Amino acid sequence: MTSAALRSRAWKLLEMVTTPLLPSDYLDLVSPLRAGADLRGRIEAVHPETDDAATVVIRPGRGWRGHTAGQYMRIGVDVDGVRLWRAYSITSPTNRQDGRVTITVKAIPDGKVSNHLVRRVKSGTLIQLDQATGDFVLPQARPAKVLHLTAGSGITPVMGMLRDIEFDDVVMVHCAPRPQDVIFRDELHDLVADRKLRLIEVHTDTDGMLDIARLDELVPDWAERETWACGPAGLLDAAEEHWSGHGVQERLHTERFRPGVAVAGDGCGGGEVTFRATGKTVDADGATPLLDVGEEAGVLMPSGCRMGICFGCVTPLKAGAVRDLRTGEITEAEPGVLIQTCVSAAAGPCVIER
Amino acid sequence: MTAIDPTAHLTAEQIEELGRELDAIRDEVIASRGEKDAAYIRKVISAQRKLELVSRGVLLFSLFPPAWVLGTAGLSVAKIMDNMEIGHNVLHGQWDWMRDPKIHSTTWEWDHVSPADQWKHSHNELHHTYTNVLGKDNDLGYGIMRVDEDQEWHPLHLGQPLWNFVNACFFEYGIAAYDLELGENLHKRRRKNPEFRARARAVGRKIRNQVLKDYVIHPLLSGPSFLTTLAATFTANLVRNIWSHSVIMCGHFPEGVQVFERRSIKDETRGQWYLRQMMGSANISGSRAMHFMTGNLSHQIEHHLFPDLPSNRYAEVAVKVRALFEKYELEYVTGPLPRQVFSAWRKVFRLSLPNRKPGIKTPDRERELVAA
């Protein structure tokens, strides 16, 4: 018998010892970060960056597969007892010696998770993690000339890149309301002092919003540069238009923190959702997952990862249509159609079996 | 049982007002659910797992009498915690709001031979919706006993004190059979129903796993203590079964608890539903430890009013609910465990015999809520 087969036999036996629980339920008590456990992390420190931003240092579990500069990770944090999932760009370099990863979080007004992480979370807290993902990354071959166009917390994935690789020629145009709002400002200025970075700060409180046409004057050779842009939708929309207007759109890489698919006004304004088994009907917008809609309405909803991976929340769609919040894809009711309520929002009136 | 409707003095408006007041109590708890509650259930789960682990560890040496006593006591308590404060309440969805898939009504499985999903159907859906409605709520006597004068007497009922005792000893098997509706489904035609067969197989799998674990694997792991460990796990299961049976009997069987006619729930309003839960349930008074060991089912009345509120909040809810009972001049049936158990058993014995004055049946009309 191979050792793998032996191990699986032994594991089966262990499952018989612990039934109806799993061996992992007991192991989690003593070693939640061990190899083979669900991926978790422990918050080890929170360092303030600005008035409303902080860097969270996380020791990931043994199952962490590492990341590529520019990627993000989803984390599940318990806020007021409720587990909420959010995605944050990773700001630590890939070769960090102690194996820790960092995310840098900006507290947004009324943001439950961001305010919790910036102001309240204690070191030692266990959080749920998901493997790093995202294709807002550098290519294998290092580009000769680089431009980073960022605004606000859009600087975070780019900081992960700057800390990871030394570029020969890199310019950063970064927008923030005031100088003290620039996250990582000291570190950026150190890079400038070491002649490793050319930095253009746009302080929007005094300078006004960045007009994309000003790039010609700020970075005359922008069109020759491989560009990574991250920030609010307005900036990215303008950049995409500008780059494709000049026929160089293949040099522009953008990262949107919020999926642009659920914008109201383009026929995805939501609708009335009926939960058939419980007989409840509520109004839902086109951006809130049906899982949240149901839970808010007090319907017992099956749930799992809350990010469209585990299929623990699938439920039959009996009538109407839903929109996949990740892809914008519309699914219409047909016999046998199951939807994942955690990534589906109402696309008009719909009925689900709950 | 009284021939007079104890809610007859309430007007329809009062009943709806009562419903609104209960809704307000519920809303208040929901709005204040948070970190403390989440920490509570996590702590209980972790304590239960540690207690079970340690007790089973001690039982490896159960050949030594002190180890046997200690391990058996610990395992009994661990099993009671698993079924009562954790399993029953998690499966009610009381902790689903935490959005933790590991402590969720859709994923939880308990140390019990009835699979969680089957139990959720017969308990959460049927019993909690049709509480104490004759012919609809099979928890009234579990289909094997007569627990109300209005149920027809049959000579088989003479044996019900015995069934009830056997059921108490093997309660988890009784519940599994009950969830399967075994009595009804053993008829020839129903037996072949594929849906029933699938459910029966699921129960079979669970029984096999539980029996293997308690009566084969753990005794085997104990080596020379095989027999004493076997006796210990059997004892722990017996203790757990008798304990949960007793607690559950106290919920709806004691004297003073009302039962309802099928017709009475037609077009029932929310206020009337609440009132039926209030009159159809009974509490157990006692210390915090007592409430914990009953899985807070000692607050049966509160649990029936708000089955999905976290169990750790029933104690504070009970104060407000009791005040409403007083305000509306209703009887809040409660008492210490021995008294309530005695009361329930007395009823089981009394109703094993035909009604004392046959022919005089309680007029249905007067006992109906709709009449109020």
Side-chain angles (χ1 to χ4, degrees), chain A residues 67-71 93-94 134-148 157-170 225-229 251 253-255:
Chain A
H67 77 284
T68 306
Q71 285 190 314
T94 53
D135 44 19
F136 187 71
V137 293
L138 300 173
Q140 292 286 350
R142 210 188 321 171
K145 294 169 102 182
V146 172
L147 168 64
H148 291 313
V158 163
M159 200 63 202
M161 294 177 180
L162 284 177
R163 283 170 171 170
D164 204 54
I165 295 170
E166 225 172 86
F167 295 99
D168 298 328
D169 179 358
V170 54
R225 291 177 176 270
E226 204 70 21
T227 301
W228 280 267
R251 298 227 173 101
H253 313 275
T254 58
E255 171 96 314

mmCIF file of all heavy atoms in Angstrom, chain A residues 67-71 93-94 134-148 157-170 225-229 251 253-255:
data_model
loop_
_atom_site.group_PDB
_atom_site.id
_atom_site.type_symbol
_atom_site.label_atom_id
_atom_site.label_comp_id
_atom_site.label_asym_id
_atom_site.label_seq_id
_atom_site.Cartn_x
_atom_site.Cartn_y
_atom_site.Cartn_z
ATOM 1 N N HIS A 67 1.907 34.907 -3.045
ATOM 2 C CA HIS A 67 1.208 35.791 -3.969
ATOM 3 C C HIS A 67 2.176 36.372 -4.988
ATOM 4 O O HIS A 67 3.390 36.191 -4.879
ATOM 5 C CB HIS A 67 0.509 36.907 -3.192
ATOM 6 C CG HIS A 67 1.440 37.990 -2.721
ATOM 7 N ND1 HIS A 67 2.294 37.837 -1.656
ATOM 8 C CD2 HIS A 67 1.650 39.244 -3.193
ATOM 9 C CE1 HIS A 67 2.986 38.946 -1.479
ATOM 10 N NE2 HIS A 67 2.625 39.818 -2.400
ATOM 11 N N THR A 68 1.627 37.015 -5.986
ATOM 12 C CA THR A 68 2.415 37.757 -6.960
ATOM 13 C C THR A 68 2.137 39.236 -6.705
ATOM 14 O O THR A 68 0.995 39.588 -6.391
ATOM 15 C CB THR A 68 1.950 37.393 -8.387
ATOM 16 O OG1 THR A 68 2.011 35.968 -8.519
ATOM 17 C CG2 THR A 68 2.820 38.030 -9.440
ATOM 18 N N ALA A 69 3.178 40.064 -6.842
ATOM 19 C CA ALA A 69 3.002 41.487 -6.551
ATOM 20 C C ALA A 69 1.836 42.055 -7.358
ATOM 21 O O ALA A 69 1.720 41.801 -8.559
ATOM 22 C CB ALA A 69 4.287 42.241 -6.865
ATOM 23 N N GLY A 70 0.957 42.795 -6.691
ATOM 24 C CA GLY A 70 -0.193 43.398 -7.353
ATOM 25 C C GLY A 70 -1.490 42.658 -7.093
ATOM 26 O O GLY A 70 -2.572 43.178 -7.341
ATOM 27 N N GLN A 71 -1.386 41.424 -6.575
ATOM 28 C CA GLN A 71 -2.607 40.634 -6.342
ATOM 29 C C GLN A 71 -3.332 41.062 -5.064
ATOM 30 O O GLN A 71 -2.773 41.806 -4.257
ATOM 31 C CB GLN A 71 -2.262 39.146 -6.241
ATOM 32 C CG GLN A 71 -1.942 38.534 -7.599
ATOM 33 C CD GLN A 71 -1.842 37.032 -7.522
ATOM 34 O OE1 GLN A 71 -1.210 36.491 -6.628
ATOM 35 N NE2 GLN A 71 -2.483 36.357 -8.475
ATOM 36 N N PRO A 93 6.046 42.712 0.094
ATOM 37 C CA PRO A 93 6.773 42.096 -1.020
ATOM 38 C C PRO A 93 6.658 40.574 -0.960
ATOM 39 O O PRO A 93 6.385 40.009 0.113
ATOM 40 C CB PRO A 93 8.217 42.549 -0.789
ATOM 41 C CG PRO A 93 8.300 42.884 0.667
ATOM 42 C CD PRO A 93 6.945 43.329 1.081
ATOM 43 N N THR A 94 6.872 39.926 -2.088
ATOM 44 C CA THR A 94 6.698 38.465 -2.123
ATOM 45 C C THR A 94 7.808 37.740 -1.379
ATOM 46 O O THR A 94 7.648 36.579 -1.017
ATOM 47 C CB THR A 94 6.679 37.953 -3.577
ATOM 48 O OG1 THR A 94 7.846 38.443 -4.235
ATOM 49 C CG2 THR A 94 5.457 38.444 -4.310
ATOM 50 N N GLY A 134 -6.018 37.526 -8.684
ATOM 51 C CA GLY A 134 -6.049 38.780 -9.431
ATOM 52 C C GLY A 134 -4.986 38.800 -10.511
ATOM 53 O O GLY A 134 -3.904 38.233 -10.351
ATOM 54 N N ASP A 135 -5.304 39.451 -11.640
ATOM 55 C CA ASP A 135 -4.321 39.498 -12.730
ATOM 56 C C ASP A 135 -3.757 40.899 -12.935
ATOM 57 O O ASP A 135 -3.198 41.206 -13.974
ATOM 58 C CB ASP A 135 -4.924 38.945 -14.029
ATOM 59 C CG ASP A 135 -6.323 39.463 -14.246
ATOM 60 O OD1 ASP A 135 -6.664 40.495 -13.621
ATOM 61 O OD2 ASP A 135 -7.080 38.846 -15.019
ATOM 62 N N PHE A 136 -3.880 41.733 -11.923
ATOM 63 C CA PHE A 136 -3.260 43.053 -11.966
ATOM 64 C C PHE A 136 -1.821 42.875 -11.475
ATOM 65 O O PHE A 136 -1.469 43.213 -10.352
ATOM 66 C CB PHE A 136 -4.042 43.995 -11.047
ATOM 67 C CG PHE A 136 -3.616 45.436 -11.102
ATOM 68 C CD1 PHE A 136 -3.881 46.227 -12.212
ATOM 69 C CD2 PHE A 136 -2.971 46.014 -10.018
ATOM 70 C CE1 PHE A 136 -3.515 47.564 -12.235
ATOM 71 C CE2 PHE A 136 -2.602 47.351 -10.041
ATOM 72 C CZ PHE A 136 -2.863 48.120 -11.149
ATOM 73 N N VAL A 137 -1.000 42.245 -12.320
ATOM 74 C CA VAL A 137 0.366 41.896 -11.900
ATOM 75 C C VAL A 137 1.350 42.292 -12.989
ATOM 76 O O VAL A 137 0.961 42.588 -14.124
ATOM 77 C CB VAL A 137 0.498 40.375 -11.637
ATOM 78 C CG1 VAL A 137 -0.326 39.975 -10.431
ATOM 79 C CG2 VAL A 137 0.073 39.573 -12.851
ATOM 80 N N LEU A 138 2.621 42.276 -12.642
ATOM 81 C CA LEU A 138 3.660 42.602 -13.615
ATOM 82 C C LEU A 138 3.891 41.402 -14.527
ATOM 83 O O LEU A 138 3.706 40.258 -14.106
ATOM 84 C CB LEU A 138 4.961 42.929 -12.883
ATOM 85 C CG LEU A 138 4.895 44.114 -11.921
ATOM 86 C CD1 LEU A 138 6.192 44.222 -11.135
ATOM 87 C CD2 LEU A 138 4.621 45.397 -12.686
ATOM 88 N N PRO A 139 4.305 41.651 -15.765
ATOM 89 C CA PRO A 139 4.621 40.515 -16.655
ATOM 90 C C PRO A 139 5.926 39.847 -16.223
ATOM 91 O O PRO A 139 6.680 40.410 -15.416
ATOM 92 C CB PRO A 139 4.757 41.177 -18.022
ATOM 93 C CG PRO A 139 5.138 42.584 -17.724
ATOM 94 C CD PRO A 139 4.524 42.942 -16.403
ATOM 95 N N GLN A 140 6.185 38.654 -16.753
ATOM 96 C CA GLN A 140 7.421 37.936 -16.420
ATOM 97 C C GLN A 140 8.652 38.800 -16.699
ATOM 98 O O GLN A 140 9.530 38.939 -15.856
ATOM 99 C CB GLN A 140 7.514 36.645 -17.270
ATOM 100 C CG GLN A 140 6.479 35.600 -16.918
ATOM 101 C CD GLN A 140 6.801 34.893 -15.607
ATOM 102 O OE1 GLN A 140 7.879 35.047 -15.049
ATOM 103 N NE2 GLN A 140 5.823 34.134 -15.099
ATOM 104 N N ALA A 141 8.663 39.378 -17.915
ATOM 105 C CA ALA A 141 9.808 40.219 -18.285
ATOM 106 C C ALA A 141 9.562 41.633 -17.765
ATOM 107 O O ALA A 141 8.508 42.214 -18.014
ATOM 108 C CB ALA A 141 9.948 40.238 -19.809
ATOM 109 N N ARG A 142 10.547 42.146 -17.009
ATOM 110 C CA ARG A 142 10.376 43.454 -16.410
ATOM 111 C C ARG A 142 10.339 44.535 -17.493
ATOM 112 O O ARG A 142 11.254 44.610 -18.322
ATOM 113 C CB ARG A 142 11.530 43.717 -15.458
ATOM 114 C CG ARG A 142 11.114 44.604 -14.309
ATOM 115 C CD ARG A 142 12.285 45.011 -13.472
ATOM 116 N NE ARG A 142 13.269 43.956 -13.268
ATOM 117 C CZ ARG A 142 14.446 44.186 -12.712
ATOM 118 N NH1 ARG A 142 14.792 45.396 -12.324
ATOM 119 N NH2 ARG A 142 15.307 43.203 -12.542
ATOM 120 N N PRO A 143 9.310 45.368 -17.541
ATOM 121 C CA PRO A 143 9.245 46.412 -18.572
ATOM 122 C C PRO A 143 10.309 47.479 -18.334
ATOM 123 O O PRO A 143 10.691 47.739 -17.180
ATOM 124 C CB PRO A 143 7.843 46.998 -18.407
ATOM 125 C CG PRO A 143 7.397 46.614 -17.050
ATOM 126 C CD PRO A 143 8.128 45.384 -16.666
ATOM 127 N N ALA A 144 10.770 48.096 -19.429
ATOM 128 C CA ALA A 144 11.831 49.103 -19.324
ATOM 129 C C ALA A 144 11.312 50.365 -18.661
ATOM 130 O O ALA A 144 11.977 50.963 -17.816
ATOM 131 C CB ALA A 144 12.377 49.415 -20.717
ATOM 132 N N LYS A 145 10.129 50.795 -19.056
ATOM 133 C CA LYS A 145 9.581 52.038 -18.509
ATOM 134 C C LYS A 145 8.192 51.787 -17.941
ATOM 135 O O LYS A 145 7.364 51.172 -18.604
ATOM 136 C CB LYS A 145 9.497 53.097 -19.618
ATOM 137 C CG LYS A 145 10.848 53.541 -20.129
ATOM 138 C CD LYS A 145 10.696 54.368 -21.382
ATOM 139 C CE LYS A 145 10.851 55.842 -21.049
ATOM 140 N NZ LYS A 145 10.665 56.675 -22.252
ATOM 141 N N VAL A 146 7.988 52.276 -16.726
ATOM 142 C CA VAL A 146 6.733 51.979 -16.022
ATOM 143 C C VAL A 146 6.063 53.270 -15.572
ATOM 144 O O VAL A 146 6.734 54.223 -15.168
ATOM 145 C CB VAL A 146 7.016 51.073 -14.793
ATOM 146 C CG1 VAL A 146 5.768 50.911 -13.933
ATOM 147 C CG2 VAL A 146 7.554 49.727 -15.233
ATOM 148 N N LEU A 147 4.729 53.286 -15.659
ATOM 149 C CA LEU A 147 3.958 54.376 -15.068
ATOM 150 C C LEU A 147 2.913 53.772 -14.134
ATOM 151 O O LEU A 147 2.226 52.819 -14.511
ATOM 152 C CB LEU A 147 3.261 55.201 -16.166
ATOM 153 C CG LEU A 147 2.189 56.189 -15.688
ATOM 154 C CD1 LEU A 147 2.780 57.281 -14.800
ATOM 155 C CD2 LEU A 147 1.462 56.829 -16.875
ATOM 156 N N HIS A 148 2.837 54.313 -12.919
ATOM 157 C CA HIS A 148 1.756 53.931 -12.004
ATOM 158 C C HIS A 148 0.838 55.123 -11.847
ATOM 159 O O HIS A 148 1.277 56.198 -11.446
ATOM 160 C CB HIS A 148 2.317 53.535 -10.633
ATOM 161 C CG HIS A 148 3.091 52.263 -10.652
ATOM 162 N ND1 HIS A 148 2.639 51.119 -11.267
ATOM 163 C CD2 HIS A 148 4.308 51.938 -10.132
ATOM 164 C CE1 HIS A 148 3.528 50.160 -11.118
ATOM 165 N NE2 HIS A 148 4.560 50.628 -10.445
ATOM 166 N N PRO A 157 -2.107 48.113 -4.355
ATOM 167 C CA PRO A 157 -1.507 47.027 -5.135
ATOM 168 C C PRO A 157 -0.191 47.464 -5.777
ATOM 169 O O PRO A 157 0.747 46.667 -5.931
ATOM 170 C CB PRO A 157 -2.565 46.715 -6.203
ATOM 171 C CG PRO A 157 -3.399 47.932 -6.296
ATOM 172 C CD PRO A 157 -3.388 48.542 -4.926
ATOM 173 N N VAL A 158 -0.119 48.770 -6.113
ATOM 174 C CA VAL A 158 1.081 49.290 -6.765
ATOM 175 C C VAL A 158 2.243 49.323 -5.771
ATOM 176 O O VAL A 158 3.395 49.045 -6.118
ATOM 177 C CB VAL A 158 0.767 50.700 -7.325
ATOM 178 C CG1 VAL A 158 2.015 51.459 -7.631
ATOM 179 C CG2 VAL A 158 -0.138 50.560 -8.551
ATOM 180 N N MET A 159 1.919 49.608 -4.502
ATOM 181 C CA MET A 159 2.969 49.590 -3.480
ATOM 182 C C MET A 159 3.539 48.182 -3.350
ATOM 183 O O MET A 159 4.744 48.003 -3.159
ATOM 184 C CB MET A 159 2.381 50.055 -2.140
ATOM 185 C CG MET A 159 3.421 50.525 -1.173
ATOM 186 S SD MET A 159 4.292 51.962 -1.817
ATOM 187 C CE MET A 159 5.801 51.840 -0.859
ATOM 188 N N GLY A 160 2.654 47.193 -3.470
ATOM 189 C CA GLY A 160 3.120 45.809 -3.451
ATOM 190 C C GLY A 160 4.125 45.565 -4.570
ATOM 191 O O GLY A 160 5.126 44.858 -4.390
ATOM 192 N N MET A 161 3.889 46.184 -5.738
ATOM 193 C CA MET A 161 4.820 46.026 -6.867
ATOM 194 C C MET A 161 6.130 46.762 -6.598
ATOM 195 O O MET A 161 7.214 46.223 -6.815
ATOM 196 C CB MET A 161 4.192 46.590 -8.143
ATOM 197 C CG MET A 161 2.966 45.838 -8.636
ATOM 198 S SD MET A 161 2.298 46.685 -10.097
ATOM 199 C CE MET A 161 0.918 45.627 -10.475
ATOM 200 N N LEU A 162 6.020 48.014 -6.116
ATOM 201 C CA LEU A 162 7.225 48.821 -5.890
ATOM 202 C C LEU A 162 8.146 48.184 -4.858
ATOM 203 O O LEU A 162 9.364 48.260 -4.954
ATOM 204 C CB LEU A 162 6.833 50.228 -5.399
ATOM 205 C CG LEU A 162 6.299 51.209 -6.434
ATOM 206 C CD1 LEU A 162 5.893 52.506 -5.752
ATOM 207 C CD2 LEU A 162 7.345 51.477 -7.515
ATOM 208 N N ARG A 163 7.532 47.546 -3.866
ATOM 209 C CA ARG A 163 8.337 46.938 -2.811
ATOM 210 C C ARG A 163 8.938 45.620 -3.264
ATOM 211 O O ARG A 163 9.872 45.106 -2.649
ATOM 212 C CB ARG A 163 7.453 46.676 -1.577
ATOM 213 C CG ARG A 163 7.169 47.920 -0.779
ATOM 214 C CD ARG A 163 6.110 47.633 0.258
ATOM 215 N NE ARG A 163 5.949 48.746 1.194
ATOM 216 C CZ ARG A 163 4.960 48.836 2.069
ATOM 217 N NH1 ARG A 163 4.046 47.884 2.114
ATOM 218 N NH2 ARG A 163 4.879 49.861 2.875
ATOM 219 N N ASP A 164 8.377 45.067 -4.330
ATOM 220 C CA ASP A 164 8.774 43.736 -4.755
ATOM 221 C C ASP A 164 9.963 43.783 -5.712
ATOM 222 O O ASP A 164 10.863 42.960 -5.625
ATOM 223 C CB ASP A 164 7.588 43.053 -5.441
ATOM 224 C CG ASP A 164 7.703 41.550 -5.389
ATOM 225 O OD1 ASP A 164 7.863 41.035 -4.274
ATOM 226 O OD2 ASP A 164 7.661 40.913 -6.455
ATOM 227 N N ILE A 165 9.928 44.733 -6.633
ATOM 228 C CA ILE A 165 10.919 44.744 -7.719
ATOM 229 C C ILE A 165 11.484 46.142 -7.849
ATOM 230 O O ILE A 165 10.764 47.127 -7.689
ATOM 231 C CB ILE A 165 10.254 44.334 -9.051
ATOM 232 C CG1 ILE A 165 9.765 42.889 -8.985
ATOM 233 C CG2 ILE A 165 11.223 44.486 -10.213
ATOM 234 C CD1 ILE A 165 8.904 42.498 -10.142
ATOM 235 N N GLU A 166 12.758 46.236 -8.149
ATOM 236 C CA GLU A 166 13.353 47.534 -8.420
ATOM 237 C C GLU A 166 13.263 47.795 -9.924
ATOM 238 O O GLU A 166 13.753 47.004 -10.726
ATOM 239 C CB GLU A 166 14.811 47.533 -7.971
ATOM 240 C CG GLU A 166 15.167 48.790 -7.220
ATOM 241 C CD GLU A 166 16.543 48.684 -6.614
ATOM 242 O OE1 GLU A 166 17.514 48.987 -7.317
ATOM 243 O OE2 GLU A 166 16.627 48.262 -5.429
ATOM 244 N N PHE A 167 12.585 48.877 -10.265
ATOM 245 C CA PHE A 167 12.448 49.208 -11.695
ATOM 246 C C PHE A 167 13.585 50.148 -12.112
ATOM 247 O O PHE A 167 14.124 50.894 -11.292
ATOM 248 C CB PHE A 167 11.108 49.910 -11.945
ATOM 249 C CG PHE A 167 9.918 49.042 -11.671
ATOM 250 C CD1 PHE A 167 9.225 49.149 -10.471
ATOM 251 C CD2 PHE A 167 9.491 48.109 -12.612
ATOM 252 C CE1 PHE A 167 8.123 48.355 -10.217
ATOM 253 C CE2 PHE A 167 8.385 47.315 -12.359
ATOM 254 C CZ PHE A 167 7.710 47.433 -11.160
ATOM 255 N N ASP A 168 13.915 50.123 -13.424
ATOM 256 C CA ASP A 168 14.955 51.039 -13.919
ATOM 257 C C ASP A 168 14.391 52.442 -14.056
ATOM 258 O O ASP A 168 15.060 53.428 -13.768
ATOM 259 C CB ASP A 168 15.478 50.558 -15.286
ATOM 260 C CG ASP A 168 16.109 49.189 -15.160
ATOM 261 O OD1 ASP A 168 16.675 48.916 -14.080
ATOM 262 O OD2 ASP A 168 16.014 48.390 -16.119
ATOM 263 N N ASP A 169 13.141 52.507 -14.500
ATOM 264 C CA ASP A 169 12.570 53.824 -14.796
ATOM 265 C C ASP A 169 11.091 53.775 -14.462
ATOM 266 O O ASP A 169 10.301 53.202 -15.209
ATOM 267 C CB ASP A 169 12.778 54.126 -16.298
ATOM 268 C CG ASP A 169 12.179 55.470 -16.681
ATOM 269 O OD1 ASP A 169 11.578 56.139 -15.805
ATOM 270 O OD2 ASP A 169 12.296 55.841 -17.869
ATOM 271 N N VAL A 170 10.753 54.330 -13.320
ATOM 272 C CA VAL A 170 9.353 54.262 -12.911
ATOM 273 C C VAL A 170 8.857 55.628 -12.433
ATOM 274 O O VAL A 170 9.523 56.316 -11.670
ATOM 275 C CB VAL A 170 9.126 53.170 -11.832
ATOM 276 C CG1 VAL A 170 10.056 53.360 -10.661
ATOM 277 C CG2 VAL A 170 7.683 53.139 -11.365
ATOM 278 N N ARG A 225 5.029 54.033 -21.845
ATOM 279 C CA ARG A 225 5.219 53.315 -20.581
ATOM 280 C C ARG A 225 4.173 52.219 -20.381
ATOM 281 O O ARG A 225 3.020 52.400 -20.714
ATOM 282 C CB ARG A 225 5.146 54.299 -19.400
ATOM 283 C CG ARG A 225 6.327 55.236 -19.372
ATOM 284 C CD ARG A 225 6.234 56.264 -18.271
ATOM 285 N NE ARG A 225 7.463 57.059 -18.283
ATOM 286 C CZ ARG A 225 8.550 56.726 -17.580
ATOM 287 N NH1 ARG A 225 8.505 55.689 -16.783
ATOM 288 N NH2 ARG A 225 9.641 57.457 -17.668
ATOM 289 N N GLU A 226 4.613 51.113 -19.823
ATOM 290 C CA GLU A 226 3.677 50.075 -19.391
ATOM 291 C C GLU A 226 3.011 50.631 -18.141
ATOM 292 O O GLU A 226 3.704 50.985 -17.174
ATOM 293 C CB GLU A 226 4.471 48.797 -19.076
ATOM 294 C CG GLU A 226 3.667 47.526 -19.164
ATOM 295 C CD GLU A 226 3.266 47.156 -20.606
ATOM 296 O OE1 GLU A 226 3.914 47.627 -21.561
ATOM 297 O OE2 GLU A 226 2.285 46.408 -20.741
ATOM 298 N N THR A 227 1.681 50.741 -18.169
ATOM 299 C CA THR A 227 1.012 51.484 -17.104
ATOM 300 C C THR A 227 0.095 50.598 -16.275
ATOM 301 O O THR A 227 -0.650 49.775 -16.822
ATOM 302 C CB THR A 227 0.191 52.637 -17.706
ATOM 303 O OG1 THR A 227 1.093 53.480 -18.431
ATOM 304 C CG2 THR A 227 -0.515 53.442 -16.623
ATOM 305 N N TRP A 228 0.191 50.786 -14.969
ATOM 306 C CA TRP A 228 -0.730 50.120 -14.034
ATOM 307 C C TRP A 228 -1.522 51.200 -13.322
ATOM 308 O O TRP A 228 -0.929 52.079 -12.679
ATOM 309 C CB TRP A 228 0.042 49.264 -13.027
ATOM 310 C CG TRP A 228 0.446 47.950 -13.635
ATOM 311 C CD1 TRP A 228 -0.244 46.785 -13.581
ATOM 312 C CD2 TRP A 228 1.621 47.685 -14.412
ATOM 313 N NE1 TRP A 228 0.418 45.795 -14.284
ATOM 314 C CE2 TRP A 228 1.570 46.324 -14.806
ATOM 315 C CE3 TRP A 228 2.709 48.447 -14.848
ATOM 316 C CZ2 TRP A 228 2.553 45.713 -15.573
ATOM 317 C CZ3 TRP A 228 3.689 47.854 -15.624
ATOM 318 C CH2 TRP A 228 3.604 46.493 -15.980
ATOM 319 N N ALA A 229 -2.843 51.147 -13.480
ATOM 320 C CA ALA A 229 -3.693 52.194 -12.909
ATOM 321 C C ALA A 229 -4.698 51.577 -11.958
ATOM 322 O O ALA A 229 -5.314 50.552 -12.247
ATOM 323 C CB ALA A 229 -4.415 52.943 -14.015
ATOM 324 N N ARG A 251 -1.105 48.813 -23.354
ATOM 325 C CA ARG A 251 -0.104 49.131 -22.310
ATOM 326 C C ARG A 251 -0.756 49.462 -20.964
ATOM 327 O O ARG A 251 -0.050 49.648 -19.990
ATOM 328 C CB ARG A 251 0.729 50.352 -22.745
ATOM 329 C CG ARG A 251 1.497 50.130 -23.993
ATOM 330 C CD ARG A 251 2.929 50.586 -23.879
ATOM 331 N NE ARG A 251 3.613 50.164 -25.073
ATOM 332 C CZ ARG A 251 3.877 50.966 -26.095
ATOM 333 N NH1 ARG A 251 3.574 52.249 -26.036
ATOM 334 N NH2 ARG A 251 4.467 50.502 -27.167
ATOM 335 N N HIS A 253 -2.992 48.642 -17.749
ATOM 336 C CA HIS A 253 -3.582 47.591 -16.906
ATOM 337 C C HIS A 253 -4.327 48.282 -15.782
ATOM 338 O O HIS A 253 -3.760 49.147 -15.123
ATOM 339 C CB HIS A 253 -2.490 46.698 -16.310
ATOM 340 C CG HIS A 253 -1.483 46.261 -17.330
ATOM 341 N ND1 HIS A 253 -1.660 45.170 -18.125
ATOM 342 C CD2 HIS A 253 -0.312 46.827 -17.714
ATOM 343 C CE1 HIS A 253 -0.628 45.052 -18.949
ATOM 344 N NE2 HIS A 253 0.210 46.047 -18.719
ATOM 345 N N THR A 254 -5.589 47.902 -15.607
ATOM 346 C CA THR A 254 -6.361 48.567 -14.553
ATOM 347 C C THR A 254 -6.875 47.551 -13.540
ATOM 348 O O THR A 254 -7.021 46.364 -13.844
ATOM 349 C CB THR A 254 -7.579 49.321 -15.124
ATOM 350 O OG1 THR A 254 -8.391 48.386 -15.829
ATOM 351 C CG2 THR A 254 -7.173 50.454 -16.028
ATOM 352 N N GLU A 255 -7.121 48.057 -12.348
ATOM 353 C CA GLU A 255 -7.704 47.234 -11.286
ATOM 354 C C GLU A 255 -8.842 48.026 -10.677
ATOM 355 O O GLU A 255 -8.656 49.154 -10.231
ATOM 356 C CB GLU A 255 -6.643 46.963 -10.212
ATOM 357 C CG GLU A 255 -7.177 46.306 -8.963
ATOM 358 C CD GLU A 255 -7.013 44.794 -8.947
ATOM 359 O OE1 GLU A 255 -7.327 44.165 -9.980
ATOM 360 O OE2 GLU A 255 -6.582 44.262 -7.919
#
